[in-house]
Amino acid sequence: MVAGSNPNFVFHPSCKALKLNHLMFADDVMIFYKAHPQTFHIIKSKLLDFYSCVGLHANHEKSQIVFGGCSLLLQHQCLEITDFQERAFPIKYLGVPITVSILSKLECRAVVENIVGKVTLWATKSISFASRAQLPNSVIFGMFNFWATIFILPQEVIDQMNQICRNYLWGDGGLPKEPLHILGHNLHP
């Protein structure tokens, strides 16, 4: 029997309409359900069934539970059932923060710091202006597009990314800079 088809299983309120109770990626599983002791027992039973069929079990050192909007007593009861660690939002999965709301400027700090690190490294290299213009377009905007397909980024973070790229390209601002050399040619004899 599938956990979600058990009449005692209580779906997470945001997942009930879709009857969504898990997402899988590679060897990771995220399970969504309402914090309810009966549901925790059902999930624990299904994880044991999976172990008996496949031989793989949940790693209790890496497995985590994130609670939201429930009492401390209920949290304690649920943690006793599973022996998993408690975490709070935001959590990171594959380097990307997972949160219950729109990302804040602070939560986007990792991507901004990554961009600053790349630009700082590039600024120490002797690179032509054409190559210098291509790096932000391919690398930084690739990183931006990755994050923007997952989240709605705050405008302040977008503006900060643009400023970092502009400062790098034109050798202006707080990042290490290399002066722009413009060669002029007289085409008339």
Side-chain angles (χ1 to χ4, degrees):
M1 177 189 294
V2 177
S5 63
N6 186 315
N8 295 321
F9 183 88
V10 183
F11 283 94
H12 183 277
S14 299
C15 302
K16 189 174 185 175
L18 296 174
K19 295 192 182 287
L20 174 70
N21 61 10
H22 70 281
L23 293 176
M24 296 180 72
F25 181 77
D27 62 348
D28 296 327
V29 179
M30 291 186 190
I31 305 173
F32 309 102
Y33 48 96
K34 188 168 182 162
H36 188 270
Q38 278 187 310
T39 303
F40 273 77
H41 283 294
I42 293 168
I43 293 297
K44 187 173 183 177
S45 169
K46 294 305 168 187
L47 290 173
L48 289 172
D49 289 348
F50 181 77
Y51 171 72
S52 66
C53 291
V54 183
L56 298 173
H57 60 88
N59 183 336
H60 289 275
E61 292 177 14
K62 294 182 179 179
S63 300
Q64 305 161 355
I65 297 177
V66 180
F67 293 101
C70 58
S71 71
L72 290 175
L73 176 63
L74 181 58
Q75 290 177 24
H76 182 69
Q77 289 173 336
C78 295
L79 286 168
E80 281 183 351
I81 294 168
T82 63
D83 293 328
F84 293 157
Q85 300 172 31
E86 182 180 2
R87 290 286 306 268
F89 284 115
I91 59 174
K92 278 194 172 188
Y93 180 69
L94 299 177
V96 177
I98 298 175
T99 183
V100 293
S101 62
I102 294 175
L103 286 182
S104 69
K105 179 183 172 187
L106 182 64
E107 292 165 334
C108 293
R109 188 181 71 230
V111 73
V112 173
E113 287 174 356
N114 197 349
I115 289 171
V116 168
K118 288 187 183 310
V119 168
T120 302
L121 177 67
W122 297 338
T124 64
K125 309 288 183 199
S126 179
I127 302 174
S128 70
F129 184 76
S131 297
R132 194 179 183 123
Q134 187 62 34
L135 283 170
N137 282 332
S138 61
V139 178
I140 293 176
F141 291 121
M143 291 169 59
F144 168 80
N145 285 333
F146 171 74
W147 278 67
T149 58
I150 301 170
F151 304 110
I152 298 172
L153 295 173
Q155 186 62 46
E156 197 173 344
V157 172
I158 295 169
D159 293 343
Q160 191 176 11
M161 289 177 173
N162 284 329
Q163 183 176 5
I164 291 167
C165 292
R166 186 174 50 248
N167 290 350
Y168 167 72
L169 184 62
W170 298 108
D172 189 18
L175 297 174
K177 52 189 169 191
E178 175 184 321
L180 176 64
H181 299 287
I182 300 175
L183 299 175
H185 294 283
N186 187 356
L187 299 177
H188 299 289

